[in-house]
Amino acid sequence: NAGVTQTPKFQVLKTGQSMTLQCAQDMNHNSMYWYRQDPGMGLRLIYYSASEGTTDKGEVPNGYNVSRLNKREFSLRLESAAPSQTSVYFCASRHPADLYNEQFFGPGTRLTVL
Amino acid sequence: QKEVEQDPGPLSVPEGAIVSLNCTYSNSAFQYFMWYRQYSRKGPELLMYTYSSGNKEDGRFTAQVDKSSKYISLFIRDSQPSDSATYLCAMSASNTGNQFYFGTGTSLTVIP
C-alpha cells in the first residue's frame, strides 16, 4: 500500500516551458487535491476533484489545469511556467466519509522555474 | 485578512519542555479543526482532529478549541527531539466538503 505517490520529486523549468505533475493514490479515495506550499503562505489549494470526472477551482487556480484521469490519478499541468510558480506541490487524497477529515499527502514535487 | 493565522516561529525548546502552538481564525463557520505535522522535505500527516469546541488528548498531545475566541491550540508535553517538525493547523466548515484552510505552519526544534 503505497498511499499517495507523486512524480517527479524535483524539476527545474525555464520560463514558458510546460510540464505535468503526476499523482496517484491506491486507497480508493474519491477526493483528490493539489496544493502549493510557499514560505510564509502555508498550503494553498489549487484545484480539487470530489470524484472521478469532476474538478473544481481552489484558492489559486490561475496558470494551472488539472485532469482527473480515473479514480486513482489526478494530474496538474503548467502550460507556460512562470517564476511565480516556483513552489513545492503536494497532492492529497481523502475519503469523503472519513470521520477525521483526514487528507493523505504525497511526498511533494519541488519545482523551480528560472 | 487571511482565514487562518499562525505564528511561523521558529520555536526552539529544550527536551522535556511543554510546547504551545496556536492558531486564530476569522470564519465562524469552521467546525472541524486539525493539526498536521510535517517533517522536513515530507508531506504533512494528520496528528490531531477536533470537532467543535473542547479538548482532545492523545498521549503527549492535547488539542484545544475555543470557538468563542476563534482560537485553537496544540500542546505537546515532555517534548522529544523527534517532535522537531513544522506543525500546521487546518480548518473546515464541513466534513463532507473539500475546502480546507491551512495556517502557515510553526517550525519547532526540540534540543536534546
Side-chain angles (χ1 to χ4, degrees):
Chain A
N1 196 347
V4 179
T5 57
Q6 292 183 236
T7 55
K9 287 187 168 47
F10 302 93
Q11 185 72 48
V12 178
L13 293 178
K14 294 181 180 177
T15 296
Q17 288 185 316
S18 62
M19 79 162 295
T20 299
L21 283 64
Q22 306 286 355
C23 173
Q25 52 90 9
D26 61 1
M27 295 174 283
N28 203 34
H29 288 168
N30 288 334
S31 302
M32 297 187 73
Y33 310 81
W34 276 106
Y35 291 91
R36 59 177 290 173
Q37 187 174 38
D38 303 289
M41 301 295 291
L43 280 164
R44 291 182 293 170
L45 183 64
I46 304 171
Y47 271 93
Y48 67 93
S49 170
S51 62
E52 184 179 350
T54 68
T55 61
D56 284 287
K57 294 179 181 179
E59 182 184 355
V60 288
N62 291 346
Y64 305 95
N65 287 303
V66 290
S67 295
R68 183 72 184 268
L69 305 168
N70 48 55
K71 192 171 186 178
R72 289 188 64 247
E73 298 172 291
F74 188 36
S75 62
L76 179 72
R77 182 160 177 83
L78 286 71
E79 290 290 352
S80 178
S84 61
Q85 295 178 304
T86 293
S87 187
V88 181
Y89 291 85
F90 288 100
C91 177
S93 72
R94 173 176 164 264
H95 192 289
D98 185 281
L99 289 176
Y100 303 110
N101 248 359
E102 181 172 8
Q103 294 180 76
F104 293 83
F105 285 84
T109 294
R110 282 158 181 78
L111 175 67
T112 301
V113 183
L114 302 174
Chain B
Q1 183 186 4
K2 285 183 182 178
E3 298 267 10
V4 181
E5 300 277 0
Q6 183 176 8
D7 185 341
L11 193 58
S12 185
V13 301
E15 184 174 352
I18 296 174
V19 176
S20 173
L21 305 168
N22 310 293
C23 289
T24 59
Y25 62 95
S26 56
N27 189 342
S28 58
F30 289 150
Q31 298 268 19
Y32 301 87
F33 305 93
M34 286 73 69
W35 286 95
Y36 282 81
R37 179 172 59 194
Q38 185 177 21
Y39 290 113
S40 181
R41 297 193 170 271
K42 301 287 187 184
E45 295 176 310
L46 184 67
L47 183 63
M48 297 285 285
Y49 166 84
T50 311
Y51 168 68
S52 194
S53 284
N55 294 359
K56 184 173 183 179
E57 188 173 320
D58 184 1
R60 296 184 294 110
F61 299 90
T62 300
Q64 283 186 354
V65 175
D66 182 350
K67 289 189 68 181
S68 62
S69 302
K70 297 191 180 68
Y71 188 87
I72 71 169
S73 302
L74 177 70
F75 297 96
I76 307 174
R77 291 184 300 280
D78 187 25
S79 56
Q80 302 295 308
S82 59
D83 296 328
S84 298
T86 296
Y87 291 81
L88 301 100
C89 61
M91 310 176 187
S92 67
S94 165
N95 69 342
T96 56
N98 286 287
Q99 292 277 10
F100 296 86
Y101 298 88
F102 284 81
T104 53
T106 300
S107 175
L108 171 67
T109 300
V110 180
I111 303 166

